[in-house]
Amino acid sequence: MADQRASKSLGETGRQVQDGIAETVETVRDYAADAGAKAGEYAREAGRQASMVATSAYDTGGDALEFVEDAVRQRPLISVLAAAAVGYGLACLIKGRSPI
């Protein structure tokens, strides 16, 4: 009789341990799924922000180009002289010679 009770008690304890392990595994799975979802959300947000930065940089470059074009149209002679001076200075730097 005592052996049957002990055996029954051990069997019940084993089931409780198995249930506890199964519950822990389920909890870990839930946490992993939440972490994966958050990682995907963060990646999407980073992509959206990168796209906004790229668009902003492109727009800024276009604005700078328009500014230079307007300056060249308004003062073409000064623009050509400035470009020639920059080119001469770069040539002197490349050759290693003083421009003066």
Side-chain angles (χ1 to χ4, degrees):
M1 203 49 122
D3 287 339
Q4 285 181 340
R5 276 189 256 161
S7 159
K8 214 179 214 185
S9 178
L10 283 175
E12 188 175 313
T13 302
R15 280 191 293 279
Q16 288 175 350
V17 169
Q18 286 177 340
D19 291 345
I21 290 172
E23 186 177 321
T24 302
V25 167
E26 189 65 33
T27 301
V28 169
R29 282 186 189 148
D30 290 344
Y31 282 135
D34 289 344
K38 286 183 181 182
E41 186 178 314
Y42 291 147
R44 281 188 294 279
E45 179 63 20
R48 187 184 66 75
Q49 288 180 2
S51 176
M52 287 174 33
V53 167
T55 300
S56 176
Y58 182 79
D59 292 344
T60 301
D63 292 344
L65 181 61
E66 287 179 23
F67 176 77
V68 171
E69 286 177 347
D70 289 342
V72 169
R73 283 191 189 108
Q74 290 175 3
R75 297 180 188 91
L77 182 59
I78 292 175
S79 300
V80 169
L81 291 174
V86 169
Y88 180 73
L90 288 174
C92 290
L93 285 174
I94 291 172
K95 284 189 163 189
R97 188 176 94 184
S98 176
I100 296 178

